[in-house]
Amino acid sequence: MTHFESELAALKQKLLLMASHAESAVNNAIKALVDRDDDLARKVAEDDDKIDHLEQEVDAACIALLAKAPLATQLRLITSAMKIARDLERVGDEATTIARRSLDLSQEPQLKPYVDIPRMATMAMAMLNDALGAFVNGDTARARAVIPRDKDVDQLNKQLYRELASFMIEKPTTITRCLNLMTISKALERIADHAKNVAEDVVFLYEARDIRHLGATAA
Amino acid sequence: MSAAPLIETKNVELFYGSSRALKGIDITIKEKLVTAFIGPSGCGKSTFLRCFNRMNDLIDNVRITGQCLIGGEDIYAKDVDVIELRKRVGMVFQRSNPFPKSIYDNIAYGLRLHGTKDKSEIDGIVESSLRGAALWDEVKDRLHSSALGLSGGQQQRLCIARAIAIRPEIILMDEPASALDPIATVKIEELILELKKEFTIVIVTHNMQQATRISDYTAFFYIGELIEYDLTTKIFTNPAKKQTEDYVTGRFG
């Protein structure tokens, strides 16, 4: 392995460290919501700084590596790393949003048992996990398989919106709680979008094909 | 990077006759790091490099003022033994220049010259130097063939092996890869990154990407002046001076 290759390996490791923080943040935020655990929710919000710093570190490393004039796969790895870092940072932000809304929700009695939200979280996190696994293993088939799953999460988000809207119409005292849950649902829908972005970056990295904005069939 | 300073110059000026080629250069070079000198042709970077082992003494009509300290000692002081100095400060040139002797003798020659007589000791140093220069595996079965039969890249690594055999503190490199193909260049660059664990390296290069790949610090020279000297990352991503920015972005030079 050349020195440059070992620097690229270190960059990948830093990105994976960032991913593991982002994944824990989302999992903990959902756990805080379901268990009505305010301490855990506050911890998620506080820990977001770590992810933000890692994004800055990844970007600084990428700029230093780009100055060395990398080519081909190495060039694509660095530009993809910058984009993936941004998506992971946003995943961290969404986790913070979920945690903050959980804190609000825990002030009032629970509106209904949480079924769809944990399910959405599981789906979105599985997408992110697969996209990152594809990144590590160079598995573009796995990355491509992530992309259509975004629609399932979108669907669940819309379904939850409709359900919460009917709650609000029927019983206006639930409006605050419903709006908080809608925000959480939207955050999970966005996490799935970020996972999809990562998957598209992985395809670009390993196949040098830009499959964004093509639609599922063309991809 | 908190390495100790090893080379320090104070207001170094160099004249070729009445022409001033270096203008009041102050620099501190840290040990066990790679420092790159960049700048357009004729900017004085090679001339300045050659001050560190007094190679400019060999040119007629050259006059140097100011101070050049290595490990705190003024290398231009009257009592300095230039041969001893060049043992401490080795040099590798643009064109590989092996002696027309065997691979083995290219390395053994300097050792014998510096008083090493014991054959097993010389054998050991020949091997460790060739290993250190990442050449051993390619030449171990033909140590007694002519060095001139090696490829350009191998000859250059032999010159590096020859330089490290006498255990200098500093290795000066004047465009060591500019006459080599990309594969041989990568080998030399990888070698430099290995060698910095043991040696302080100062390299003149015209290849800016090479400077970004191998150096920790970069000094930019222009018409005999040191314009900017900083961490390599800083020089190539956010230089402080406009002249540096113009040079690294290819607007002049």
Side-chain angles (χ1 to χ4, degrees), chain A residues 71-92:
Chain A
L71 295 170
T73 312
Q74 297 181 331
L75 174 59
R76 295 200 305 278
L77 171 61
I78 298 165
T79 52
S80 303
M82 293 180 93
K83 291 199 270 184
I84 292 171
R86 169 155 294 191
D87 277 305
L88 293 173
E89 190 273 330
R90 295 276 165 87
V91 169

Side-chain angles (χ1 to χ4, degrees), chain A residues 23-50:
Chain A
E23 283 179 328
S24 312
V26 177
N27 290 332
N28 285 334
I30 295 297
K31 191 168 187 310
L33 170 75
V34 173
D35 297 348
R36 301 169 71 82
D37 182 343
D38 287 0
D39 289 340
L40 187 58
R42 276 189 285 270
K43 188 176 178 309
V44 170
E46 284 161 16
D47 284 357
D48 191 43
D49 279 357
K50 283 185 197 157

Side-chain angles (χ1 to χ4, degrees), chain B:
Chain B
M1 269 165 257
S2 58
L6 183 58
I7 304 175
E8 197 176 2
T9 70
K10 293 175 183 167
N11 196 29
V12 164
E13 306 229 318
L14 183 143
F15 298 83
Y16 291 112
S18 59
S19 153
R20 192 164 64 134
L22 295 176
K23 301 169 186 170
I25 299 187
D26 296 309
I27 200 168
T28 301
I29 292 173
K30 295 179 180 181
E31 71 173 0
K32 292 188 181 161
L33 292 177
V34 179
T35 301
F37 289 175
I38 62 165
S41 297
C43 68
K45 57 193 188 296
S46 289
T47 300
F48 187 53
L49 186 80
R50 284 155 190 263
C51 290
F52 302 151
N53 66 349
R54 294 186 52 172
M55 287 288 284
N56 294 313
D57 293 13
L58 305 171
I59 303 165
D60 288 341
N61 217 15
V62 161
R63 185 165 58 87
I64 299 168
T65 62
Q67 267 195 316
C68 187
L69 310 172
I70 292 181
E73 280 176 61
D74 183 350
I75 61 167
Y76 284 89
K78 283 203 176 94
D79 56 345
V80 168
D81 177 345
V82 177
I83 304 294
E84 275 303 306
L85 171 69
R86 292 189 189 139
K87 207 172 141 185
R88 287 174 70 193
V89 187
M91 187 150 189
V92 176
F93 298 88
Q94 179 178 12
R95 297 248 165 224
S96 55
N97 53 355
F99 306 131
K101 290 172 176 285
S102 69
I103 294 165
Y104 181 96
D105 282 336
N106 260 272
I107 296 167
Y109 181 79
L111 296 171
R112 292 191 195 112
L113 196 71
H114 289 291
T116 311
K117 300 281 183 241
D118 183 71
K119 181 161 184 323
S120 64
E121 191 184 347
I122 293 177
D123 286 352
I125 298 174
V126 167
E127 179 175 341
S128 64
S129 306
L130 288 169
R131 282 188 189 281
L135 190 59
W136 174 253
D137 289 340
E138 293 163 55
V139 301
K140 64 184 176 199
D141 299 324
R142 48 173 171 149
L143 289 177
H144 296 285
S145 339
S146 168
L148 302 178
L150 297 173
S151 71
Q154 289 173 326
Q155 286 189 15
Q156 194 62 305
R157 280 180 282 145
L158 178 62
C159 292
I160 293 172
R162 192 173 65 187
I164 63 180
I166 51 169
R167 309 301 302 167
E169 291 166 60
I170 299 164
I171 305 174
L172 308 177
M173 297 188 173
D174 194 350
E175 297 188 51
S178 63
L180 303 179
D181 69 43
I183 306 288
T185 299
V186 168
K187 286 188 180 168
I188 297 286
E189 290 181 4
E190 287 296 309
L191 178 56
I192 290 169
L193 289 166
E194 282 302 312
L195 290 174
K196 79 169 185 177
K197 293 173 187 162
E198 290 182 70
F199 306 97
T200 302
I201 295 167
V202 189
I203 178 170
V204 164
T205 178
H206 272 294
N207 180 334
M208 285 189 269
Q209 279 69 41
Q210 181 166 77
T212 64
R213 285 191 293 264
I214 62 172
S215 69
D216 302 290
Y217 281 84
T218 294
F220 169 57
F221 291 85
Y222 186 59
I223 329 180
E225 281 182 65
L226 174 59
I227 304 295
E228 189 169 349
Y229 175 49
D230 210 325
L231 285 168
T232 296
T233 318
K234 174 88 168 58
I235 293 283
F236 289 101
T237 59
N238 183 22
K241 302 275 175 65
K242 186 171 182 305
Q243 279 165 302
T244 315
E245 169 95 23
D246 286 349
Y247 182 68
V248 301
T249 55
R251 273 184 224 134
F252 78 83

Side-chain angles (χ1 to χ4, degrees), chain A residues 153-192:
Chain A
V153 180
D154 288 350
Q155 204 55 48
L156 214 47
N157 178 44
K158 280 183 191 147
Q159 187 186 310
L160 199 59
Y161 260 54
R162 283 195 296 271
E163 192 186 337
L164 291 167
S166 63
F167 263 102
M168 290 192 281
I169 293 162
E170 275 173 35
K171 208 172 172 188
T173 53
T174 65
I175 286 176
T176 318
R177 279 170 286 172
C178 285
L179 288 174
N180 278 326
L181 287 170
M182 280 179 166
T183 303
I184 289 173
S185 174
K186 183 70 186 166
L188 291 168
E189 186 269 326
R190 284 198 177 139
I191 290 170

